[in-house]
Amino acid sequence: MDIYLPVANLSVNALVIVLLGGGVGLLSGMFGVGGGFLTTPLLIFYGIPPTVAAASATTQVTGASVSGAMAHYRRGGVDVPMGLVLVLGGILGAIAGSAIFRLLQSVGQIDTVINILYVGLLLGVGIPMAREAIASVAASFQGNAIPAKKRRHHPIVASLPFRWRFYASGLYISPLAPLLLGFATGILTVLLGVGGGFIMVPAMLYILGMATRVVVGTSLFQILFVTAATTMVHAVTTKAVDIVLAFFLLLGSVIGAQLGTRIAARFKPDYLRLLLAAVVLAVALRMALGLTWRPDEIYTVQLI
């Protein structure tokens, strides 16, 4: 069944979009990531314009984050003061990101920049993840245990002024650190349509030094509000949000996430992390080829 996407200005197969959303939801349920960093590249591969793909993916991430954030909040797994500082930084970053987005649109370079940023981002995430997963799998075969990384905040974070106490996170640090972290994530959310959890969670653990039990919940709390704000910013400024596309993506991701959660229970975390790294690197390679590989026919003419 073909549907027309009014903002993207093209017709697509609704089943393909639902299956694409379901695949991302499946990965989300299996690996505990938002999946936004894969939604945009997959939409681009399918032929959706990068600007529409990035703007519409944030809507899916918002919907997918609601249930997770609420569940963690009920269990006391959200540091609300920390989350509010991150949200403030994220909203400021979204506003700055929208200005960058419009500037790149005006010079006709937004599609290229989105693709280049994605290649760099996916390689930056996928390579360390693959290295760590391979080391964990090899150690399990040899019967050796890998020592856990110690929780501590970065020396630069420790040197910042105006310290606050974040009791749930067990921290006494400057709010400037999470504010800047949220700001950077907000810019990425606007430009790439990602929730930022795959960057936010490691940064909260190893840069801010937050307690593990509140990291995922606080990250989802921040993602929920920042992606919602980002969707509104896109809708008002860039006008690139395609609500029809977002609806079918969300429909598939809700179903896929439930299946992914059940599948994840049957596999070891190390193998799941290795599989996720392989998926991330494969997408990065495909996007890099798209940027460098010259097609046989640069222009095509279609007779109607």
Side-chain angles (χ1 to χ4, degrees), residues 108-172:
Q109 297 299 318
I110 183 63
D111 292 355
T112 303
V113 170
I114 287 175
N115 281 276
I116 292 174
L117 284 175
Y118 255 112
V119 171
L121 189 64
L122 293 176
L123 287 176
V125 171
I127 291 174
M129 187 187 303
R131 188 185 300 120
E132 183 180 344
I134 291 171
S136 298
V137 171
S140 65
F141 273 115
Q142 298 170 1
N144 299 326
I146 296 180
K149 295 182 179 180
K150 295 182 179 180
R151 180 174 67 88
R152 63 186 184 278
H153 44 260
H154 195 275
I156 295 178
V157 174
S159 66
L160 293 175
F162 312 114
R163 293 190 175 192
W164 290 2
R165 290 198 181 276
F166 297 95
Y167 292 98
S169 297
L171 294 178
Y172 181 54

Side-chain angles (χ1 to χ4, degrees), residues 121 125 181 185 188 192 194-204 207 219:
L121 189 64
V125 171
L181 176 60
T185 306
L188 288 178
L192 305 180
V194 298
F198 65 104
I199 295 176
M200 181 71 71
V201 170
M204 292 163 78
I207 296 179
S219 174

